[in-house]
Amino acid sequence: SHFHMLSVVGTINLGWPRAVGIIFPIARIVSTSSTKTFATDCISKWTHIQYTSYYFGTIGIFAAASVPYYLYLRVRRYKAVREEWYSKKRDLEAEYISARREGENVDRVRRQLERMKRPPEFTDPAQDAYALDMDTVVDDDGYIVQEWTDEELAELEPTSYDVAFGAFIALSLYLCWLPIVTNSLQMIRSTTLKDIGSFLYVDYNIQTDVGAYSRSMATFLVFGVIIGAGLPYYLFKALKTHSSQLHWSKTKARYGFFYIGFSEERCYWEFVVLIRKLLLVLTSSLLPDAPLLAIYISIGILQGFLALVFLLKVYENEQHQKVEVASLVTALITYNCGALMATVKRDATSSL
């Protein structure tokens, strides 16, 4: 999150010195799927549209990479389950032989062995905690009760799909969401050069008064809204649906990256962080021609969210709370330094 804030301030044209300005593309590369640097620009010569297309494509890349990861998890789990099955069967057979030799009752062991007629197969479905939560049985008193207790379901190992799906959603949210939203919003602002035409503000290689640009902008904005709003909304619905199952291993595998570490009352806090990022991106993307105004609005946004962190107990661990405060304070110092530098440069220019 801290690197995200640094990468956003790097999109505001404040005239940073070269030695300082290099920090922002590094922060962007480290924290997102972005590859945009001066060096890659020189080699690839990509336009803003091509970079934006690449960012959307990274979600497809992560989705494709999730397939072999899922198969790897399935194979590993299959081997572990099969080995456990054979080990259990050997122990039961040894127990059966020992009981027969001692003349003891072997009915219980025989029934267990009869249930183990065949070893697990690769295609056998794994136990799904969400599905088992709906299973019921009739108890000795004739009442319909749940077959599995909450403690049993909470400890049930997540499926391979749960782990692979959780990794895909986490990568999409933390590496792809910010550059997709940023680049899509940057498609909105353009500037006009007299007797020449209109061009995209962030890329003068793209002419905006042609039909091809209008189609590209409409496409990116539509898909940007789908990713930018749809992904957080899906997570919100999922966490709301499973709000009573946040302690389950299955829920942690799928969505734990989004709420683990926060206090129970603030398990939604990552949505607040997303709102903070969105407000910063909106400010920097929609005010490219007013960098001072953009930086001062951004400072106000960060101060408001810093106040929220001070007022609310957000994290379970007090150290995490201190780290979040330190991150926001450091970001505020960086933003204020940029505002001060840009103000001094403006005043010096206006006095000449």
Side-chain angles (χ1 to χ4, degrees):
S1 181
H2 178 74
F3 285 119
H4 284 170
M5 289 186 288
L6 287 181
S7 66
V8 172
V9 75
T11 64
I12 303 175
N13 184 20
L14 298 173
W16 292 95
R18 183 177 180 84
V20 178
I22 196 174
I23 295 173
F24 306 120
I26 291 175
R28 184 170 58 246
I29 291 172
V30 168
S31 62
T32 70
S33 58
S34 174
T35 58
K36 184 176 175 59
T37 62
F38 179 76
T40 54
D41 276 347
C42 292
I43 296 172
S44 67
K45 300 187 183 302
W46 277 5
T47 66
H48 185 79
I49 289 178
Q50 288 171 311
Y51 273 114
T52 308
S53 301
Y54 160 74
Y55 296 142
F56 279 104
T58 52
I59 291 186
I61 294 172
F62 288 139
S66 298
V67 176
Y69 180 52
Y70 163 74
L71 292 175
Y72 161 74
L73 293 173
R74 279 292 303 269
V75 170
R76 190 178 70 172
R77 180 178 175 81
Y78 164 69
K79 288 182 177 179
V81 170
R82 198 174 176 89
E83 182 178 342
E84 181 184 355
W85 185 91
Y86 278 112
S87 175
K88 184 178 179 180
K89 187 173 183 180
R90 284 194 297 269
D91 291 343
L92 286 173
E93 287 173 343
E95 183 181 351
Y96 179 82
I97 293 171
S98 175
R100 285 290 300 269
R101 185 180 296 119
E102 299 294 331
E104 298 175 358
N105 191 315
V106 295
D107 292 343
R108 178 186 60 82
V109 180
R110 183 188 295 115
R111 284 195 298 270
Q112 288 181 291
L113 285 170
E114 287 174 352
R115 285 197 293 267
M116 300 180 68
K117 291 182 178 179
R118 66 175 184 84
E121 300 294 339
F122 183 77
T123 55
D124 290 346
Q127 289 182 315
D128 188 323
Y130 292 161
L132 294 175
D133 190 35
M134 305 300 294
D135 288 355
T136 57
V137 293
V138 178
D139 64 10
D140 296 337
D141 297 325
Y143 292 103
I144 298 177
V145 296
Q146 284 188 295
E147 184 175 2
W148 294 71
T149 65
D150 184 77
E151 290 76 14
E152 291 172 332
L153 292 173
E155 295 174 1
L156 195 63
E157 186 179 353
T159 66
S160 303
Y161 176 80
D162 294 329
V163 178
F165 180 77
F168 166 67
I169 294 294
L171 289 171
S172 298
L173 184 70
Y174 291 118
L175 297 184
C176 303
W177 185 87
L178 186 68
I180 285 175
V181 172
T182 302
N183 276 42
S184 297
L185 288 172
Q186 287 175 336
M187 295 286 291
I188 296 175
R189 291 303 306 273
S190 62
T191 184
T192 301
L193 301 179
K194 189 177 180 181
D195 300 327
I196 299 178
S198 296
F199 299 87
L200 193 64
Y201 199 95
V202 295
D203 189 348
Y204 276 61
N205 292 314
I206 300 174
Q207 195 166 350
T208 60
D209 51 1
V210 295
Y213 168 77
S214 299
R215 290 190 293 271
S216 296
M217 182 182 71
T219 302
F220 287 141
L221 286 178
V222 168
F223 283 99
V225 169
I226 292 174
I227 300 298
L231 186 56
Y233 178 74
Y234 165 77
L235 287 168
F236 172 78
K237 291 289 290 183
L239 292 181
K240 185 177 180 181
T241 300
H242 303 294
S243 59
S244 62
Q245 303 162 344
L246 298 182
H247 59 292
W248 287 17
S249 297
K250 182 181 181 70
T251 309
K252 290 179 181 178
R254 283 196 172 200
Y255 313 113
F257 65 90
F258 207 72
Y259 66 87
I260 289 178
F262 296 121
S263 63
E264 187 175 349
E265 299 80 8
R266 306 284 178 250
C267 62
Y268 58 81
W269 192 256
E270 194 65 36
F271 293 105
V272 178
V273 175
L274 284 178
I275 292 171
R276 181 180 72 204
K277 294 177 187 177
L278 179 60
L279 291 175
L280 293 173
V281 170
L282 280 169
T283 303
S284 64
S285 300
L286 300 182
L287 296 172
D289 51 348
L292 267 177
L293 177 60
I295 195 68
Y296 283 125
I297 292 176
S298 298
I299 289 171
I301 292 169
L302 289 177
Q303 287 176 333
F305 281 92
L306 178 59
L308 283 178
V309 174
F310 272 123
L311 292 172
L312 304 173
K313 178 175 170 48
V314 177
Y315 294 91
E316 286 182 336
N317 191 315
E318 188 65 29
Q319 293 299 320
H320 295 167
Q321 184 95 355
K322 292 178 180 178
V323 169
E324 177 70 0
V325 170
S327 173
L328 288 169
V329 169
T330 305
L332 269 170
I333 293 172
T334 305
Y335 277 58
N336 276 284
C337 287
L340 176 62
M341 179 191 63
T343 302
V344 171
K345 282 187 175 182
R346 184 196 62 181
D347 294 344
T349 302
S350 61
S351 64
L352 294 177

